[in-house]
Amino acid sequence: ENVLVSGSRDKTVILWDTRTWKVRRVIPVLERVECTGFLGNGSFIYTGGESGKVRIWETENGKEATQEQEVGGDGENVVHIIHHSDLPFLLSIHADQTLLLHSLSPLGDLSSGGILEPLPMIRRISGFHDEIIDLAYLTPDHLLLALATNTEDVRLVSLMTSANHPSDDVSRSPVLDAPYFGADVALLKGHEDIIICLDVDWSGCWLATGAKDNTARLWRIDPTASSYTCFATFTGHAESLGAISMPRMIPPVGSAAYMKPLDYPPPFLLTGSQDRTIKRWDTTIIRASAKADKKPARAVYTRKAHDKDINAIDVNHNSTLFATASQDRTVKIWSVEEGEVQGVLRGHRRGVWSVKFAPRDSPTFIGDNGPASASRGIVLTGSGDKTAKLWSLADYSCLRTLEGHTNSILKVVWLNPVGGEGRDKRGALVATAGGDGLVKVWDANSAEVECTLDNHEDRVWALAVHPTTNTLVSGGGDGTITFWADTTSTTIAASAAASTARVEQEQQLQNYIHAHSYRSAITLALQLNHPGRLLALFTSVVNTNPPESGSLSGLVAVDEVLASLGEEQFFTLLLRIRDWNTNARTAPVAQRILWTLVKCYPASSFTRLRSTSRGADVRGSSLKEVINALKAYTERHYRRMEDLVNESYLIEYTLREMDEVAFANGDGTSDRDQDFIMV
């Protein structure tokens, strides 16, 4: 009691007596202290500082209660710690905008002078992911996302939502410790420098990483047991790894490898480096044991592959071929077993950043030289020349060039074939991510952009597609991860339903016109935005012979409909009258309907009108513009009529004079009344 604790960047913690304000004890912490406080009714002190670790000290003797901990990396230093006496945890805030929740339960069993292991971490919350360099879906249910975030660690983030994690069946979830979307599940530590590339096998249980420390690592991902371990380390490259790939061939259904993928690592691993070589690593001799990560992995073969850095590697669907993309502007196709070049793809004008083989079940691709099948081999590449290209492995020729990005294309993926009539008609779809911050989805057959996705403020380095839902996830230099849902099926279904409803309404409109149900016909024609049908209807009404007595338009029923229009319908009809009034042939009908409206509505009704029509083709956004257009063409029509009247006087005079000349005799008399016989 009556003790105040203070921590300083002089690497000490001081306990003060608040009654005399004298120093009771000085504890040398040997690190710059940013935050300190009491725990356990004053029995312990916590400190946090430049080491990035939370340390516990005994108040009575000033000894450290926690074991010696490894100093954290850059950006991991603790800037603040928050603790409340009623809560069983404390919250440490780190310089890299990360929040860590530490359990205080081990303090209850700690005796005086005892040694305590570091406080267990309950949860990790990342406030900022830095630059997203690469990402991949993990686990068979695809409920984890692996992120390479410009650091030497891999972050595993939960994609759990209420839709894929029902509250009444928690056992179905493989991520028991992360029940919400975006939660940090684990941090894979082992690399000593920034991780550049990721790849995942067919099951999502094995993750491969390549880093600037010249090594590759294979990780075993078992979220059910909360086990995320390094299975093997591959050392041998002379420079940093820029590309990594594993086979994705699915084992036979019912086999041991299919039923228990965690016990069967991928058979081999391919890596590409800035040292311009590729290596194949055999993983079948490595067994999952406590000493596995200490057992050196040996490369099956090493090949000098390119003249410049290797940016990407991809294995085809049956694991017989793999492709390498390089800054030397070429893509090479290799055999997996022998490591021999099978062909070279040339055509890009800048370095090639990404390469992907077409999925096994991709639709037939129609190229310039005819159809090409994915079973024979189709490769998609993205380059710094702002284009993506589709290549045939039958003759190693370019089938299509996709142009549309304004900066380098950094990542390409194939969207998975989805059943459905609408998708089959569109054929194969691919997606590209560029340095312009855009993600584009393309129709591979037509080389046309289906849609452009814009949510990034910096270049998009990473792009992945969900194996079943085709959800795209993109990550870029702005630290933003964006999920793009594939709404193709929903859009097609909605369009089909809208088309069916429109056909039914059009037939109903014809029925209304045939039955002379003018109110329903006019209302439906305005709703469907059918100016032609509406004009034909009003033309038949205006030309009614004889017109009904007391009618303004020609039929009393139509007058009643026009006098009871809603504000939106009224304005839409004025827009149609404006359009009809521009044509001399339809102007009489437009003038007649306009005259009817003027007679039926007071001037105040016109002044209250606003452009509220959402379905019509609104080219005039205000009543003033509509009235000005009506006025201009009406005056033109009246001038034309006046000119016709004046010309008619001349025609009558000419005809009268011609009659007098034709029937006059020499004596001035006329033979107009005599009978003539025409021979």
Side-chain angles (χ1 to χ4, degrees), residues 32 196 253 464 609 619:
R32 295 180 180 180
I196 300 177
V253 178
L609 288 179
R619 284 173 288 177

Side-chain angles (χ1 to χ4, degrees), residues 293-599:
D293 56 343
K294 299 180 181 179
K295 192 171 185 178
R298 308 179 76 177
V300 177
Y301 57 72
T302 301
R303 299 287 185 267
K304 171 69 166 59
H306 291 273
D307 296 330
K308 292 186 178 181
D309 299 353
I310 299 173
N311 294 326
I313 295 181
D314 191 49
V315 183
N316 71 341
H317 60 84
N318 57 10
S319 300
T320 58
L321 299 174
F322 70 93
T324 58
S326 170
Q327 285 296 111
D328 64 5
R329 300 178 292 179
T330 64
V331 175
K332 293 186 178 181
I333 308 300
W334 307 73
S335 63
V336 171
E337 291 299 326
E338 297 83 11
E340 299 296 333
V341 176
Q342 305 298 305
V344 181
L345 309 180
R346 293 185 174 92
H348 283 295
R349 300 184 302 275
R350 294 288 186 275
V352 185
W353 283 102
S354 183
V355 60
K356 286 291 181 183
F357 282 94
R360 178 181 54 185
D361 299 327
S362 295
T364 300
F365 176 76
I366 307 299
D368 294 333
N369 300 323
S373 174
S375 60
R376 299 183 61 183
I378 297 178
V379 173
L380 173 65
T381 59
S383 168
D385 61 8
K386 309 175 188 178
T387 67
K389 290 180 180 289
L390 290 156
W391 308 81
S392 171
L393 296 188
D395 54 2
Y396 303 103
S397 62
C398 180
L399 300 172
R400 282 277 191 276
T401 299
L402 311 180
E403 298 178 302
H405 282 280
T406 59
N407 209 324
S408 301
I409 294 180
L410 304 174
K411 200 77 171 181
V412 296
V413 294
W414 290 83
L415 272 67
N416 298 287
V418 177
E421 182 179 358
R423 173 56 56 85
D424 289 343
K425 289 182 178 179
R426 297 202 306 174
L429 296 179
V430 300
T432 58
D436 52 9
L438 301 177
V439 176
K440 291 180 180 288
V441 179
W442 307 77
D443 187 332
N445 284 326
S446 63
E448 298 292 335
V449 177
E450 291 289 328
C451 61
T452 299
L453 312 175
D454 183 7
N455 192 50
H456 292 278
E457 298 178 356
D458 203 342
R459 62 186 62 191
V460 182
W461 286 107
L463 187 65
V465 60
H466 194 283
T468 56
T469 65
N470 262 350
T471 297
L472 286 172
V473 55
S474 58
D478 56 359
T480 301
I481 303 171
T482 306
F483 293 83
W484 309 93
D486 184 3
T487 60
T488 303
S489 301
T490 305
T491 303
I492 291 175
S495 300
S499 178
T500 302
R502 190 173 185 85
V503 171
E504 294 176 353
Q505 289 178 329
E506 289 179 355
Q507 182 59 48
Q508 191 176 19
L509 176 59
Q510 293 289 348
N511 296 338
Y512 286 150
I513 295 175
H514 182 73
H516 302 290
S517 180
Y518 296 108
R519 174 180 293 277
S520 301
I522 294 173
T523 302
L524 189 56
L526 290 172
Q527 177 184 344
L528 294 177
N529 190 24
H530 278 182
R533 298 277 180 84
L534 192 61
L535 176 61
L537 176 62
F538 282 135
T539 301
S540 63
V541 171
V542 171
N543 294 333
T544 301
N545 191 17
E548 292 184 1
S549 177
S551 172
L552 299 175
S553 62
L555 293 175
V556 176
V558 175
D559 294 348
E560 295 175 353
V561 174
L562 296 178
S564 59
L565 294 175
E567 184 175 328
E568 182 176 346
Q569 295 172 337
F570 191 8
F571 192 83
T572 304
L573 182 55
L574 282 178
L575 294 175
R576 298 292 156 253
I577 293 174
R578 177 200 62 183
D579 296 339
W580 301 335
N581 195 49
T582 60
N583 193 315
R585 291 179 296 177
T586 57
V589 178
Q591 290 293 326
R592 185 68 172 271
I593 301 302
L594 179 61
W595 178 67
T596 304
L597 293 177
V598 172
K599 289 291 186 180

